[in-house]
Amino acid sequence: MKTDRFVITVIGVDTVGIVAGVTRIMSDFGVNIIDIRQTLMEDIFTMLMIGEVKSENFVLKDFQEKMNEAGQELKVEIRVQHEDVFRYMHRI
């Protein structure tokens, strides 16, 4: 079975329900949290996660679209990138 890992970033003004909204979608898509870091800087919420999925039926575009919808509802910016793409974009 194929395993894919993703970098998920969330940033915005802190409100109740951000973590719940993001992790609910991850659960719906079978994405497991490998690592999670979050920080609150005054009223700015930031979260960085590494997620992993072990499913041949997983469609990244569908997952990204659901996360974008959740971001709009929660009034935060959510980005989902495949780990390989993230590493390539941030190499020195």
Side-chain angles (χ1 to χ4, degrees), residues 38-80:
Q38 67 182 46
T39 304
L40 190 59
M41 298 180 292
E42 294 190 23
D43 66 338
I44 304 299
F45 175 85
T46 64
M47 182 167 59
L48 176 64
M49 291 186 283
I50 304 291
E52 179 180 71
V53 66
K54 296 178 182 177
S55 172
E56 295 178 13
N57 299 325
F58 179 82
V59 178
L60 177 59
K61 184 176 179 179
D62 294 344
F63 182 59
Q64 289 170 321
E65 287 176 5
K66 283 292 184 185
M67 285 296 205
N68 286 335
E69 290 172 15
Q72 291 173 5
E73 290 172 16
L74 296 166
K75 297 181 175 45
V76 295
E77 180 181 332
I78 303 174
R79 291 189 184 203
V80 178

Short mmCIF file of all heavy atoms in Angstrom, two decimals, residues 38-80:
data_model
loop_
_atom_site.label_atom_id
_atom_site.label_comp_id
_atom_site.label_asym_id
_atom_site.label_seq_id
_atom_site.Cartn_x
_atom_site.Cartn_y
_atom_site.Cartn_z
N GLN A 38 1.79 23.99 17.19
CA GLN A 38 0.94 25.17 17.07
C GLN A 38 1.43 26.23 18.02
O GLN A 38 2.00 25.95 19.07
CB GLN A 38 -0.53 24.84 17.29
CG GLN A 38 -0.87 24.41 18.69
CD GLN A 38 -2.33 24.05 18.81
OE1 GLN A 38 -2.87 23.34 17.98
NE2 GLN A 38 -2.98 24.55 19.84
N THR A 39 1.20 27.48 17.63
CA THR A 39 1.63 28.62 18.42
C THR A 39 0.56 29.69 18.34
O THR A 39 -0.08 29.88 17.31
CB THR A 39 2.96 29.19 17.85
OG1 THR A 39 3.92 28.17 17.83
CG2 THR A 39 3.45 30.34 18.69
N LEU A 40 0.39 30.38 19.44
CA LEU A 40 -0.49 31.53 19.48
C LEU A 40 0.37 32.74 19.78
O LEU A 40 1.01 32.81 20.82
CB LEU A 40 -1.55 31.33 20.57
CG LEU A 40 -2.69 32.33 20.58
CD1 LEU A 40 -3.44 32.32 19.26
CD2 LEU A 40 -3.64 32.02 21.72
N MET A 41 0.44 33.66 18.82
CA MET A 41 1.21 34.89 18.98
C MET A 41 0.21 36.03 19.09
O MET A 41 -0.36 36.45 18.09
CB MET A 41 2.14 35.11 17.78
CG MET A 41 3.18 34.01 17.65
SD MET A 41 4.32 34.21 16.27
CE MET A 41 3.22 33.98 14.88
N GLU A 42 -0.04 36.43 20.35
CA GLU A 42 -1.13 37.35 20.67
C GLU A 42 -2.42 36.71 20.17
O GLU A 42 -2.79 35.66 20.66
CB GLU A 42 -0.86 38.74 20.14
CG GLU A 42 0.33 39.39 20.83
CD GLU A 42 0.49 40.86 20.50
OE1 GLU A 42 -0.49 41.51 20.12
OE2 GLU A 42 1.62 41.33 20.65
N ASP A 43 -3.08 37.28 19.15
CA ASP A 43 -4.32 36.66 18.67
C ASP A 43 -4.14 35.97 17.32
O ASP A 43 -5.11 35.59 16.69
CB ASP A 43 -5.44 37.71 18.59
CG ASP A 43 -5.17 38.78 17.54
OD1 ASP A 43 -3.99 38.97 17.18
OD2 ASP A 43 -6.13 39.43 17.10
N ILE A 44 -2.89 35.75 16.90
CA ILE A 44 -2.62 35.06 15.63
C ILE A 44 -2.30 33.60 15.92
O ILE A 44 -1.37 33.28 16.65
CB ILE A 44 -1.45 35.72 14.87
CG1 ILE A 44 -1.71 37.19 14.61
CG2 ILE A 44 -1.18 34.96 13.56
CD1 ILE A 44 -2.94 37.47 13.77
N PHE A 45 -3.10 32.72 15.32
CA PHE A 45 -2.96 31.28 15.49
C PHE A 45 -2.15 30.73 14.33
O PHE A 45 -2.42 31.05 13.17
CB PHE A 45 -4.35 30.64 15.50
CG PHE A 45 -4.33 29.14 15.54
CD1 PHE A 45 -4.22 28.48 16.75
CD2 PHE A 45 -4.42 28.40 14.37
CE1 PHE A 45 -4.21 27.09 16.80
CE2 PHE A 45 -4.41 27.02 14.41
CZ PHE A 45 -4.30 26.36 15.63
N THR A 46 -1.15 29.89 14.63
CA THR A 46 -0.40 29.19 13.58
C THR A 46 -0.31 27.72 13.95
O THR A 46 -0.16 27.37 15.12
CB THR A 46 1.03 29.76 13.40
OG1 THR A 46 1.77 29.53 14.59
CG2 THR A 46 1.00 31.23 13.06
N MET A 47 -0.42 26.87 12.95
CA MET A 47 -0.30 25.43 13.17
C MET A 47 0.40 24.82 11.96
O MET A 47 0.11 25.17 10.81
CB MET A 47 -1.68 24.80 13.36
CG MET A 47 -1.64 23.32 13.65
SD MET A 47 -3.22 22.64 14.24
CE MET A 47 -4.34 23.01 12.90
N LEU A 48 1.32 23.92 12.25
CA LEU A 48 2.05 23.19 11.22
C LEU A 48 1.92 21.71 11.55
O LEU A 48 2.20 21.30 12.68
CB LEU A 48 3.51 23.62 11.20
CG LEU A 48 4.45 22.89 10.26
CD1 LEU A 48 4.04 23.12 8.81
CD2 LEU A 48 5.88 23.35 10.48
N MET A 49 1.49 20.94 10.58
CA MET A 49 1.32 19.50 10.79
C MET A 49 1.96 18.71 9.66
O MET A 49 2.01 19.18 8.53
CB MET A 49 -0.16 19.13 10.84
CG MET A 49 -0.88 19.64 12.03
SD MET A 49 -2.57 19.02 12.10
CE MET A 49 -3.34 20.05 10.88
N ILE A 50 2.42 17.53 10.02
CA ILE A 50 2.81 16.53 9.03
C ILE A 50 1.72 15.47 9.11
O ILE A 50 1.45 14.91 10.18
CB ILE A 50 4.17 15.89 9.33
CG1 ILE A 50 5.28 16.94 9.45
CG2 ILE A 50 4.51 14.84 8.26
CD1 ILE A 50 5.64 17.63 8.18
N GLY A 51 1.07 15.22 8.00
CA GLY A 51 0.04 14.20 7.93
C GLY A 51 0.46 13.09 7.00
O GLY A 51 1.24 13.30 6.07
N GLU A 52 -0.07 11.90 7.25
CA GLU A 52 0.28 10.74 6.43
C GLU A 52 -0.99 9.97 6.10
O GLU A 52 -1.86 9.82 6.96
CB GLU A 52 1.25 9.86 7.21
CG GLU A 52 1.68 8.61 6.47
CD GLU A 52 2.65 7.78 7.29
OE1 GLU A 52 2.21 7.18 8.31
OE2 GLU A 52 3.83 7.75 6.94
N VAL A 53 -1.07 9.50 4.88
CA VAL A 53 -2.22 8.69 4.46
C VAL A 53 -1.71 7.41 3.81
O VAL A 53 -0.74 7.43 3.06
CB VAL A 53 -3.16 9.49 3.52
CG1 VAL A 53 -2.49 9.81 2.20
CG2 VAL A 53 -4.46 8.78 3.29
N LYS A 54 -2.39 6.32 4.14
CA LYS A 54 -2.06 5.01 3.57
C LYS A 54 -3.29 4.50 2.84
O LYS A 54 -3.95 3.58 3.32
CB LYS A 54 -1.65 4.04 4.67
CG LYS A 54 -0.39 4.43 5.39
CD LYS A 54 -0.07 3.46 6.50
CE LYS A 54 1.17 3.90 7.25
NZ LYS A 54 1.48 3.02 8.37
N SER A 55 -3.60 5.12 1.74
CA SER A 55 -4.80 4.73 1.01
C SER A 55 -4.59 4.94 -0.48
O SER A 55 -4.16 6.01 -0.90
CB SER A 55 -5.99 5.54 1.48
OG SER A 55 -7.10 5.30 0.66
N GLU A 56 -4.93 3.93 -1.23
CA GLU A 56 -4.84 4.06 -2.68
C GLU A 56 -6.00 4.88 -3.23
O GLU A 56 -5.95 5.34 -4.35
CB GLU A 56 -4.80 2.68 -3.31
CG GLU A 56 -3.55 1.91 -2.94
CD GLU A 56 -3.52 0.52 -3.52
OE1 GLU A 56 -4.33 0.21 -4.42
OE2 GLU A 56 -2.68 -0.27 -3.07
N ASN A 57 -7.05 5.08 -2.44
CA ASN A 57 -8.22 5.83 -2.87
C ASN A 57 -8.13 7.31 -2.54
O ASN A 57 -9.04 8.07 -2.85
CB ASN A 57 -9.48 5.25 -2.23
CG ASN A 57 -9.70 3.80 -2.63
OD1 ASN A 57 -9.40 3.41 -3.76
ND2 ASN A 57 -10.20 3.00 -1.72
N PHE A 58 -7.05 7.74 -1.89
CA PHE A 58 -6.89 9.13 -1.48
C PHE A 58 -6.63 10.00 -2.71
O PHE A 58 -5.80 9.69 -3.55
CB PHE A 58 -5.71 9.25 -0.51
CG PHE A 58 -5.45 10.66 -0.05
CD1 PHE A 58 -6.19 11.20 0.99
CD2 PHE A 58 -4.48 11.43 -0.64
CE1 PHE A 58 -5.95 12.49 1.43
CE2 PHE A 58 -4.23 12.71 -0.22
CZ PHE A 58 -4.97 13.24 0.82
N VAL A 59 -7.37 11.13 -2.79
CA VAL A 59 -7.19 12.08 -3.90
C VAL A 59 -6.78 13.42 -3.28
O VAL A 59 -7.58 14.08 -2.61
CB VAL A 59 -8.48 12.23 -4.73
CG1 VAL A 59 -8.28 13.24 -5.84
CG2 VAL A 59 -8.91 10.87 -5.28
N LEU A 60 -5.53 13.80 -3.50
CA LEU A 60 -4.98 15.01 -2.90
C LEU A 60 -5.82 16.24 -3.25
O LEU A 60 -6.11 17.06 -2.38
CB LEU A 60 -3.53 15.22 -3.33
CG LEU A 60 -2.85 16.50 -2.83
CD1 LEU A 60 -2.86 16.58 -1.31
CD2 LEU A 60 -1.43 16.59 -3.38
N LYS A 61 -6.22 16.37 -4.49
CA LYS A 61 -6.99 17.55 -4.91
C LYS A 61 -8.30 17.67 -4.11
O LYS A 61 -8.67 18.77 -3.69
CB LYS A 61 -7.29 17.49 -6.40
CG LYS A 61 -7.98 18.72 -6.92
CD LYS A 61 -8.17 18.69 -8.42
CE LYS A 61 -8.89 19.95 -8.83
NZ LYS A 61 -9.09 20.04 -10.26
N ASP A 62 -8.98 16.56 -3.88
CA ASP A 62 -10.22 16.58 -3.09
C ASP A 62 -9.94 17.02 -1.66
O ASP A 62 -10.70 17.81 -1.08
CB ASP A 62 -10.89 15.21 -3.08
CG ASP A 62 -11.40 14.79 -4.46
OD1 ASP A 62 -11.51 15.66 -5.35
OD2 ASP A 62 -11.67 13.58 -4.62
N PHE A 63 -8.85 16.52 -1.08
CA PHE A 63 -8.46 16.88 0.28
C PHE A 63 -8.13 18.38 0.36
O PHE A 63 -8.59 19.08 1.26
CB PHE A 63 -7.26 16.04 0.70
CG PHE A 63 -6.78 16.27 2.10
CD1 PHE A 63 -7.61 16.08 3.19
CD2 PHE A 63 -5.47 16.66 2.33
CE1 PHE A 63 -7.15 16.28 4.49
CE2 PHE A 63 -5.00 16.85 3.62
CZ PHE A 63 -5.84 16.67 4.70
N GLN A 64 -7.38 18.87 -0.62
CA GLN A 64 -7.04 20.30 -0.65
C GLN A 64 -8.29 21.17 -0.78
O GLN A 64 -8.41 22.20 -0.11
CB GLN A 64 -6.08 20.59 -1.81
CG GLN A 64 -4.70 20.05 -1.59
CD GLN A 64 -3.82 20.12 -2.83
OE1 GLN A 64 -4.29 19.87 -3.95
NE2 GLN A 64 -2.56 20.45 -2.64
N GLU A 65 -9.23 20.76 -1.61
CA GLU A 65 -10.47 21.52 -1.78
C GLU A 65 -11.28 21.59 -0.48
O GLU A 65 -11.78 22.64 -0.11
CB GLU A 65 -11.32 20.93 -2.90
CG GLU A 65 -10.76 21.20 -4.29
CD GLU A 65 -11.54 20.53 -5.40
OE1 GLU A 65 -12.59 19.90 -5.13
OE2 GLU A 65 -11.09 20.61 -6.56
N LYS A 66 -11.38 20.45 0.23
CA LYS A 66 -12.10 20.44 1.51
C LYS A 66 -11.40 21.32 2.53
O LYS A 66 -12.05 22.02 3.32
CB LYS A 66 -12.24 19.02 2.05
CG LYS A 66 -13.30 18.23 1.37
CD LYS A 66 -14.68 18.79 1.70
CE LYS A 66 -15.75 17.92 1.07
NZ LYS A 66 -17.08 18.46 1.24
N MET A 67 -10.08 21.29 2.54
CA MET A 67 -9.32 22.14 3.47
C MET A 67 -9.51 23.61 3.12
O MET A 67 -9.66 24.45 4.02
CB MET A 67 -7.84 21.78 3.46
CG MET A 67 -7.54 20.50 4.20
SD MET A 67 -7.93 20.64 5.96
CE MET A 67 -6.85 19.41 6.61
N ASN A 68 -9.54 23.93 1.84
CA ASN A 68 -9.79 25.32 1.43
C ASN A 68 -11.17 25.79 1.88
O ASN A 68 -11.33 26.91 2.36
CB ASN A 68 -9.64 25.48 -0.09
CG ASN A 68 -8.21 25.44 -0.55
OD1 ASN A 68 -7.30 25.74 0.20
ND2 ASN A 68 -8.00 25.05 -1.80
N GLU A 69 -12.17 24.93 1.71
CA GLU A 69 -13.52 25.26 2.16
C GLU A 69 -13.54 25.49 3.67
O GLU A 69 -14.15 26.45 4.15
CB GLU A 69 -14.49 24.13 1.81
CG GLU A 69 -14.78 23.99 0.33
CD GLU A 69 -15.60 22.75 0.01
OE1 GLU A 69 -16.18 22.13 0.94
OE2 GLU A 69 -15.66 22.38 -1.18
N ALA A 70 -12.87 24.62 4.41
CA ALA A 70 -12.81 24.77 5.87
C ALA A 70 -12.10 26.07 6.24
O ALA A 70 -12.52 26.77 7.17
CB ALA A 70 -12.09 23.58 6.50
N GLY A 71 -11.04 26.40 5.52
CA GLY A 71 -10.32 27.64 5.79
C GLY A 71 -11.21 28.85 5.62
O GLY A 71 -11.18 29.79 6.42
N GLN A 72 -12.04 28.84 4.58
CA GLN A 72 -12.97 29.95 4.36
C GLN A 72 -13.98 30.04 5.49
O GLN A 72 -14.28 31.12 5.98
CB GLN A 72 -13.65 29.80 3.00
CG GLN A 72 -12.71 30.02 1.84
CD GLN A 72 -13.36 29.71 0.50
OE1 GLN A 72 -14.56 29.41 0.41
NE2 GLN A 72 -12.57 29.76 -0.56
N GLU A 73 -14.50 28.90 5.92
CA GLU A 73 -15.48 28.87 7.01
C GLU A 73 -14.86 29.34 8.33
O GLU A 73 -15.50 30.06 9.10
CB GLU A 73 -16.05 27.47 7.19
CG GLU A 73 -16.94 27.01 6.05
CD GLU A 73 -17.33 25.55 6.17
OE1 GLU A 73 -17.17 24.97 7.27
OE2 GLU A 73 -17.80 24.97 5.17
N LEU A 74 -13.63 28.91 8.58
CA LEU A 74 -12.95 29.23 9.84
C LEU A 74 -12.21 30.57 9.78
O LEU A 74 -11.65 31.01 10.78
CB LEU A 74 -11.97 28.12 10.20
CG LEU A 74 -12.58 26.75 10.47
CD1 LEU A 74 -11.51 25.67 10.48
CD2 LEU A 74 -13.35 26.78 11.79
N LYS A 75 -12.18 31.18 8.59
CA LYS A 75 -11.49 32.46 8.37
C LYS A 75 -10.00 32.36 8.67
O LYS A 75 -9.41 33.23 9.32
CB LYS A 75 -12.15 33.58 9.17
CG LYS A 75 -13.59 33.84 8.74
CD LYS A 75 -14.21 34.96 9.53
CE LYS A 75 -15.58 35.33 9.07
NZ LYS A 75 -16.54 34.34 8.78
N VAL A 76 -9.39 31.26 8.19
CA VAL A 76 -7.95 31.05 8.28
C VAL A 76 -7.45 30.59 6.92
O VAL A 76 -8.24 30.18 6.06
CB VAL A 76 -7.58 29.99 9.35
CG1 VAL A 76 -7.95 30.46 10.74
CG2 VAL A 76 -8.19 28.64 9.05
N GLU A 77 -6.15 30.68 6.73
CA GLU A 77 -5.55 30.17 5.50
C GLU A 77 -4.99 28.79 5.78
O GLU A 77 -4.22 28.60 6.72
CB GLU A 77 -4.42 31.09 5.04
CG GLU A 77 -3.77 30.63 3.77
CD GLU A 77 -2.63 31.53 3.32
OE1 GLU A 77 -2.65 32.73 3.65
OE2 GLU A 77 -1.71 31.02 2.66
N ILE A 78 -5.41 27.82 4.97
CA ILE A 78 -4.93 26.45 5.10
C ILE A 78 -4.26 26.05 3.79
O ILE A 78 -4.86 26.17 2.72
CB ILE A 78 -6.07 25.46 5.41
CG1 ILE A 78 -6.82 25.88 6.68
CG2 ILE A 78 -5.52 24.03 5.54
CD1 ILE A 78 -8.05 25.04 6.98
N ARG A 79 -3.03 25.56 3.91
CA ARG A 79 -2.31 25.07 2.73
C ARG A 79 -1.95 23.62 2.96
O ARG A 79 -1.50 23.25 4.03
CB ARG A 79 -1.04 25.88 2.49
CG ARG A 79 -1.33 27.27 2.04
CD ARG A 79 -0.08 27.95 1.61
NE ARG A 79 -0.39 29.33 1.27
CZ ARG A 79 0.34 30.04 0.48
NH1 ARG A 79 1.45 29.55 -0.03
NH2 ARG A 79 0.01 31.28 0.21
N VAL A 80 -2.12 22.83 1.93
CA VAL A 80 -1.75 21.41 1.96
C VAL A 80 -0.81 21.17 0.80
O VAL A 80 -1.16 21.43 -0.35
CB VAL A 80 -2.99 20.49 1.82
CG1 VAL A 80 -2.56 19.03 1.80
CG2 VAL A 80 -4.00 20.77 2.92
#
